[in-house]
Amino acid sequence: MENIKEKADYCLNCPTKPCTTGCPLGNDIPSFIKEVKQGNYKKAYEILLDTTVLQPICGRICPHMKQCRGKCVRGIKGEPVEIGELEAFVGDMAIKNKWNISKSEEVCDKKIAIVGGGPSGLTAATFLRRKGYNVTIYEKYNKLGGLLSHGIPEFRLPRDILNATIQKILDLGIEVKYNHTLGESISLEDLKKEYDAILLTIGANVSTKMGIEGEDLKGVYGGNELLENNNHPDYKGKIVVVNGGGNTAMDTSRTINKMGAKKVYVVYRRAREQMPAEQKEIDQAISEGVEFLFQNNIVKIIGDKYVEKIECIKTELIKVEGESRLKPVNIEGSNYDIPVDYVVMAIGSKPEEEILKTLDLKRNKWGYIETDENNRTSDEKIFCAGDIIGETSTIAWASRSGRNAAENIDRYLKNI
């Protein structure tokens, strides 16, 4: 407690609230920290509840330096406030003390189906239920959480914390139908007959491919699929290359390293400071023995049926007119080989095409489901949120998207 109070006291409670501006959810950070300073932990929790229901989760795994903490005024001349740690502390206190999520006493007869129980779906379900709506979540697995359960390793997000956070949401009276997959056990047409509105939050967890030679060899995996399905090969004594620079690359490389790989490399075509992953995650991976090959690019995967080695090329970063980010360009003649046993692609993700083809909803030029500014699809009764519409892939942005969708669904149902 003393350590937490010291970290809270470090906050200047800026009236301009730049940290709130940096938070995708718009959490009133100075106000909740002010309550922590005074020991009013329940009041701090209630302030956070206005905008988020995933406090112990976002407090742990958000890329804080790229969001709230990165905007902290304290960071100009020193270390910024430990906003994530303070948020996680308040969220943990809520779990420990069984502080409930408040909801409206009014009961609405409108029914809403949410397909997908990840951060977007859970957040939308909470805010809709708090308004009095009857909400049912359809989940393809036998547990909720989506990426939180099937993509974030336990060493980053303890399962007891995750499960307790989800249970607080379900305690609002939200119904869940597990083991229901869209396009198989349920269809949009059936849901439209039963519900007044439908929200799709099925995510985008199919790993993107590079489109290079050898990518179809045995031994090449997608990082998203490895984490989601937890179906890993035996890494003991093996050399593994993870290609990418985001959180999925960090999570897969650290997971594989912990599973006994002889050597784990992370190949990233840009510089360290350009990596999307949080610096603390990169530091942690390095401290655990993962080796980073910055400004390198995989150009070919080589082998006879199975992966045997990769061909890499070094890159240089150049300024391109009209672009704010330096562009990596291959350095001709700098090619070299690395003997490897497995290659993991962690360069991005996309929606599952087989499911999207069954939905008969308009899609944009990038392949995501197209929505208007109100989260509505080409079918006025169907809304979408999160990764499936191409939102920024962080937990906070997914949660914000779900909250926005809940507000838009509320407006829609009040006007029909």
Side-chain angles (χ1 to χ4, degrees):
M1 292 287 191
E2 187 175 329
N3 183 46
I4 285 295
K5 187 177 186 308
E6 183 180 319
K7 292 184 175 183
D9 286 341
Y10 186 62
C11 174
L12 298 173
N13 288 105
C14 305
T16 55
K17 303 183 181 183
C19 51
T20 292
T21 304
C23 173
L25 284 155
N27 293 339
D28 189 348
I29 293 167
S31 294
F32 102 77
I33 292 180
K34 181 180 178 181
E35 298 301 329
V36 173
K37 288 181 182 183
Q38 298 171 0
N40 300 326
Y41 304 128
K42 188 173 184 181
K43 178 63 177 176
Y45 174 64
E46 290 169 351
I47 289 171
L48 285 169
L49 269 182
D50 286 340
T51 48
T52 178
V53 293
L54 303 177
Q55 310 90 357
I57 296 170
C58 288
R60 284 175 166 83
I61 65 174
C62 270
H64 302 108
M65 286 304 296
K66 297 181 187 300
Q67 296 178 169
C68 57
R69 196 167 180 240
K71 298 286 187 180
C72 178
V73 170
R74 280 287 200 181
I76 296 173
K77 294 184 178 180
E79 285 296 311
V81 176
E82 293 277 3
I83 298 169
E85 189 173 339
L86 292 168
E87 182 181 2
F89 170 80
V90 172
D92 289 356
M93 287 288 287
I95 292 171
K96 179 181 176 181
N97 292 288
K98 296 181 170 55
W99 295 334
N100 295 326
I101 300 173
S102 58
K103 66 177 180 178
S104 170
E105 295 301 320
E106 296 181 13
V107 178
C108 179
D109 60 357
K110 294 286 195 301
K111 296 169 59 181
I112 302 160
I114 297 177
V115 183
S120 285
L122 289 169
T123 301
T126 304
F127 279 90
L128 286 166
R129 184 63 187 142
R130 290 175 75 179
K131 292 177 184 293
Y133 291 103
N134 296 296
V135 180
T136 301
I137 298 175
Y138 287 81
E139 169 58 43
K140 71 175 181 178
Y141 291 112
N142 59 4
K143 60 181 177 181
L144 296 171
L147 175 69
L148 302 173
S149 295
H150 305 284
I152 308 295
E154 186 162 7
F155 57 77
R156 277 224 293 145
L157 179 58
R159 290 303 177 257
D160 59 336
I161 294 294
L162 172 60
N163 294 336
T165 303
I166 292 173
Q167 188 57 52
K168 285 172 67 67
I169 292 171
L170 296 184
D171 287 345
L172 287 167
I174 294 166
E175 183 182 7
V176 183
K177 295 191 177 183
Y178 296 100
N179 302 308
H180 280 69
T181 301
L182 192 62
E184 294 179 14
S185 51
I186 51 171
S187 70
L188 278 185
E189 289 307 311
D190 289 339
L191 293 177
K192 284 170 66 176
K193 293 173 184 175
E194 186 176 352
Y195 296 92
D196 298 287
I198 300 160
L199 175 63
L200 303 180
T201 62
I202 57 177
N205 207 32
V206 176
S207 296
T208 304
K209 290 188 174 184
M210 290 185 71
I212 59 174
E213 183 180 338
E215 205 165 2
D216 294 325
L217 288 171
K218 293 181 179 178
V220 180
Y221 295 92
N224 296 83
E225 289 80 4
L226 284 177
L227 293 172
E228 179 175 0
N229 301 319
N230 198 28
N231 188 19
H232 295 268
D234 184 0
Y235 299 116
K236 291 177 182 176
K238 305 295 185 181
I239 299 173
V240 184
V241 164
V242 177
N243 188 35
N247 288 329
T248 300
M250 296 305 98
D251 288 341
T252 50
S253 63
R254 292 181 65 195
T255 297
I256 291 167
N257 193 54
K258 291 174 185 292
M259 294 177 73
K262 179 181 178 181
K263 186 69 180 178
V264 179
Y265 295 98
V266 170
V267 175
Y268 183 59
R269 61 183 185 147
R270 300 178 186 271
R272 172 174 174 159
E273 55 269 22
Q274 293 178 304
M275 291 189 83
E278 187 85 336
Q279 288 302 315
K280 65 180 180 181
E281 298 298 328
I282 302 169
D283 291 339
Q284 193 64 46
I286 291 172
S287 71
E288 292 169 0
V290 175
E291 183 173 340
F292 285 72
L293 302 176
F294 297 110
Q295 289 185 234
N296 281 270
N297 200 8
I298 300 176
V299 293
K300 186 189 298 185
I301 304 172
I302 302 165
D304 181 14
K305 293 185 180 179
Y306 291 88
V307 173
E308 296 174 11
K309 58 184 177 180
I310 59 170
E311 181 183 333
C312 289
I313 191 168
K314 295 184 181 297
T315 68
E316 61 179 339
L317 301 173
I318 64 171
K319 176 67 177 175
V320 177
E321 188 175 349
E323 293 186 17
S324 58
R325 199 178 186 196
L326 293 175
K327 181 179 180 180
V329 176
N330 294 342
I331 300 174
E332 189 174 346
S334 65
N335 305 59
Y336 66 99
D337 294 345
I338 301 177
V340 301
D341 299 289
Y342 298 112
V343 177
V344 179
M345 292 297 173
I347 57 173
S349 61
K350 58 185 179 180
E352 192 170 339
E353 184 62 29
E354 290 306 309
I355 291 180
L356 292 188
K357 286 194 295 190
T358 69
L359 302 183
D360 194 29
L361 296 172
K362 188 176 180 181
R363 293 159 68 179
N364 62 27
K365 62 182 180 181
W366 297 284
Y368 297 102
I369 294 179
E370 184 171 286
T371 57
D372 62 15
E373 67 276 9
N374 298 313
N375 292 88
R376 187 180 292 174
T377 69
S378 52
D379 185 317
E380 69 167 15
K381 201 174 184 179
I382 301 173
F383 297 74
C384 281
D387 289 352
I388 197 170
I389 61 173
E391 289 283 8
T392 305
S393 296
T394 71
I395 302 304
W397 278 113
S399 185
R400 173 61 182 266
S401 184
R403 194 183 78 199
N404 288 349
E407 293 169 355
N408 289 321
I409 291 170
D410 177 44
R411 277 194 289 270
Y412 163 72
L413 292 177
K414 283 177 176 176
N415 290 316
I416 60 172

